[in-house]
């Protein structure tokens, strides 16, 4: 196996390990939380109480043993002068390297495109669950939907990384994006459909089946894009400053998903238009106004729901981004390796 192939293999394994661990961590947390809040899961709680009681202790021992074995058995390869230099880098040198990385034109383009690429999914990812709860879906039932996702969230990164381990991992990102945008439309339709199938205070089992199937499809798109970006980050990271490089790129990747979600959550109420039925002189623009409306004998009725406004706007933005910048983002993987290497004078 050539050195290039070995590098690809190491990158693929790195992505597999990181993503599998991340998926297991989130899935186990959601599962444990669902057991805490769901009265119907008392029997499961009794069965699994011992498992979760020792979960952190067990994996803490595994972490300590594994790290110790790596420290004792793994020998650093210091044949290259650049790696020797990195081992002597202090805090000042590390931040100089970060500044050098950030100032590279290719990295700037990558960061700008990545930071805007997930705006199209923000409303669906953050607000949909809250709307379902508002429609009457029990939050403990939504939490329990995470339980069947445990094996899927573990296996998906392992399966997807086989297609992102080559020279063009962003092809997976490009192909998964329109599918994820379509899932946003599907979730908006599910929110519309929810009150239609409500039977008193309960929902039929087929409703949860549709919800679970839709969530599973959504996870396929989410993990396809996530693993693709992780693989690309591993591919372009300069080996001479690999840890610093990967940390910066992963921070940008996380920020790319978090800032649109925060903005979408904040904009739901301002984009929602309500009126005070029965008391025309009152308004329902804020919680205080809504309370005054009710005290005056009226009721707040929604004219335009901010969730649907956001869903439409996000979908259109995401579609335009994919059509206008999708290929540009994908073409970043065709840049020469030297394009991503930091060149600076100390």
């Amino acid at each position: 196996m050539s050195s290039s192939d070995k590098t690809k293999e190491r990158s693929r394994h790195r992505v597999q390990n990181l993503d599998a661990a991340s998926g297991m961590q989130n899935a186990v947390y959601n599962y444990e939380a669902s057991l805490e809040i769901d009265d119907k899961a008392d029997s499961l709680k009794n069965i699994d109480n011992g498992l979760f009681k020792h979960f952190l202790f067990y994996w803490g021992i595994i972490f300590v043993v594994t790290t110790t074995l790596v420290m004792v058995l793994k020998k650093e390869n210091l044949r290259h002068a650049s790696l020797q230099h990195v081992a002597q880098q202090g805090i000042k040198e590390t931040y100089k390297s970060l500044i050098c990385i950030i100032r590279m034109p290719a990295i700037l383009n990558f960061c700008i495109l990545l930071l805007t690429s997930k705006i199209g999914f923000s409303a669906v990812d953050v607000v949909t669950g809250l709307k379902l709860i508002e429609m009457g879906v029990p939050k403990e039932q939504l939490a329990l939907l995470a339980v069947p996702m445990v094996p899927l969230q573990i296996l998906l990164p392992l399966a997807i990384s086989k297609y992102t381990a080559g020279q063009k991992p962003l092809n997976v990102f490009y192909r998964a994006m329109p599918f994820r945008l379509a899932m946003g439309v599907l979730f908006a339709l599910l929110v519309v459909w929810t009150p239609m199938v409500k039977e008193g205070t309960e929902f039929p089992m087929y409703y949860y089946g549709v919800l679970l199937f839709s969530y599973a499809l959504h996870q396929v798109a989410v993990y396809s894009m996530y693993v693709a970006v992780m693989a690309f980050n591993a591919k372009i990271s300069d080996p001479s400053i690999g840890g610093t490089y990967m940390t910066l790129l992963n921070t940008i990747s996380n920020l790319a998903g978090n800032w649109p979600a925060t903005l979408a959550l904040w904009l739901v109420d301002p984009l929602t238009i309500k009126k005070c039925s029965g008391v025309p002189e009152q308004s329902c623009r804020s919680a205080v106004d809504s309370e005054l409306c009710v005290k005056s004998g009226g009721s707040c009725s929604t004219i335009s729901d901010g969730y649907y406004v956001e869903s439409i706007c996000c979908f259109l933005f995401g579609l335009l981004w994919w059509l206008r910048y999708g290929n540009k983002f994908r073409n970043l993987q065709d840049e020469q390796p030297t394009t991503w290497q930091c060149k600076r004078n100390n």
Side-chain angles (χ1 to χ4, degrees), residues 124 128-129 131-133 135-137 142 145 182-198 203 206-218 307-308 311:
V124 174
T128 298
K131 289 301 296 182
L132 291 175
I133 294 173
M135 295 289 182
V137 180
L142 289 178
L145 290 179
M183 290 305 302
V185 176
L186 175 61
F187 275 117
L189 295 176
L190 279 176
V191 173
V192 175
W193 181 56
T194 296
M196 300 179 185
V197 298
K198 189 175 183 181
F203 290 87
Y206 68 83
Y207 171 78
Y208 292 111
V210 172
L211 207 58
L212 180 63
F213 180 71
S214 301
Y215 183 55
L217 291 178
H218 180 253
Y307 169 72
Y308 300 114
S311 297

Side-chain angles (χ1 to χ4, degrees), residues 228-274:
V229 172
M230 287 286 292
F232 181 71
N233 291 347
K235 173 178 176 286
I236 67 174
S237 293
D238 188 346
S240 65
I241 46 177
T244 302
Y245 213 127
M246 280 292 293
T247 300
L248 174 64
L249 294 178
N250 289 337
T251 300
I252 297 298
S253 300
N254 291 331
L255 183 60
N258 290 333
W259 83 262
T262 303
L263 182 63
L265 192 60
W266 180 78
L267 284 175
V268 173
D269 285 340
L271 292 175
T272 300
I273 301 176
K274 296 182 179 180

Side-chain angles (χ1 to χ4, degrees), residues 6 31 68 74 95-96 99 170 202 263 331 344-345:
K6 291 180 180 178
Y31 177 47
T68 303
K74 177 65 177 177
Y95 278 98
K96 283 184 178 180
I99 294 173
L170 293 182
E202 301 292 332
L263 182 63
N331 290 338
R344 66 179 181 86
N345 297 320

Side-chain angles (χ1 to χ4, degrees), residues 39-315:
D39 293 336
K40 298 179 182 179
D42 286 337
S43 59
L44 289 176
K45 192 187 300 184
N46 293 332
I47 295 173
D48 294 329
N49 185 47
L51 171 64
F52 288 109
K53 181 179 180 181
H54 303 290
F55 180 80
L56 291 178
F57 179 74
Y58 171 78
W59 285 108
I61 293 176
I62 296 297
F63 174 81
V64 172
V65 172
T66 304
T67 305
T68 303
L69 289 175
V70 170
M71 179 184 67
V72 174
L73 301 178
K74 177 65 177 177
K75 304 300 180 182
E76 295 292 338
N77 184 3
L78 299 178
R79 289 179 299 174
H80 301 289
S82 60
L83 295 181
Q84 291 178 348
H85 173 70
V86 172
Q88 301 172 359
Q89 276 193 348
I91 296 177
K92 183 178 179 181
E93 291 298 316
T94 300
Y95 278 98
K96 283 184 178 180
S97 298
L98 278 174
I99 294 173
C100 176
I101 295 170
I102 294 172
R103 294 177 61 182
M104 291 190 295
I107 288 294
L108 287 175
N109 289 335
F110 174 72
C111 291
I112 292 173
L113 290 173
L114 187 61
L115 287 170
T116 55
S117 64
K118 298 184 180 180
I119 295 177
F121 323 121
S122 55
V124 174
D125 291 350
V126 180
V127 190
T128 298
L130 298 177
K131 289 301 296 182
L132 291 175
I133 294 173
E134 183 182 311
M135 295 289 182
V137 180
K139 58 183 179 181
E140 60 268 20
Q141 296 291 352
L142 289 178
L144 281 175
L145 290 179
V147 178
M149 293 294 104
V150 172
L152 182 66
Q153 291 173 335
I154 294 174
L155 295 175
L156 269 177
L158 301 177
I160 297 170
S161 61
K162 295 179 181 179
Y163 302 96
T164 59
Q167 292 298 316
K168 297 183 180 295
L170 293 182
N171 285 352
V172 176
F173 183 99
Y174 179 81
R175 293 165 184 165
M177 188 170 182
F179 179 71
R180 189 172 175 183
L181 289 171
M183 290 305 302
V185 176
L186 175 61
F187 275 117
L189 295 176
L190 279 176
V191 173
V192 175
W193 181 56
T194 296
M196 300 179 185
V197 298
K198 189 175 183 181
E199 300 172 353
T201 58
E202 301 292 332
F203 290 87
M205 287 302 299
Y206 68 83
Y207 171 78
Y208 292 111
V210 172
L211 207 58
L212 180 63
F213 180 71
S214 301
Y215 183 55
L217 291 178
H218 180 253
Q219 289 296 293
V220 173
V222 170
Y223 274 85
S224 295
M225 297 180 67
Y226 174 69
V227 174
V229 172
M230 287 286 292
F232 181 71
N233 291 347
K235 173 178 176 286
I236 67 174
S237 293
D238 188 346
S240 65
I241 46 177
T244 302
Y245 213 127
M246 280 292 293
T247 300
L248 174 64
L249 294 178
N250 289 337
T251 300
I252 297 298
S253 300
N254 291 331
L255 183 60
N258 290 333
W259 83 262
T262 303
L263 182 63
L265 192 60
W266 180 78
L267 284 175
V268 173
D269 285 340
L271 292 175
T272 300
I273 301 176
K274 296 182 179 180
K275 70 175 182 178
C276 183
S277 302
V279 188
E281 61 272 13
Q282 292 289 343
S283 67
C284 296
R285 295 178 181 175
S286 64
V288 176
D289 292 336
S290 300
E291 186 177 348
L292 289 175
C293 173
V294 174
K295 288 182 179 180
S296 301
S299 62
C300 289
S301 57
T302 302
I303 299 176
S304 176
D305 195 319
Y307 169 72
Y308 300 114
V309 175
E310 276 194 1
S311 297
I312 294 172
C313 292
C314 288
F315 173 78

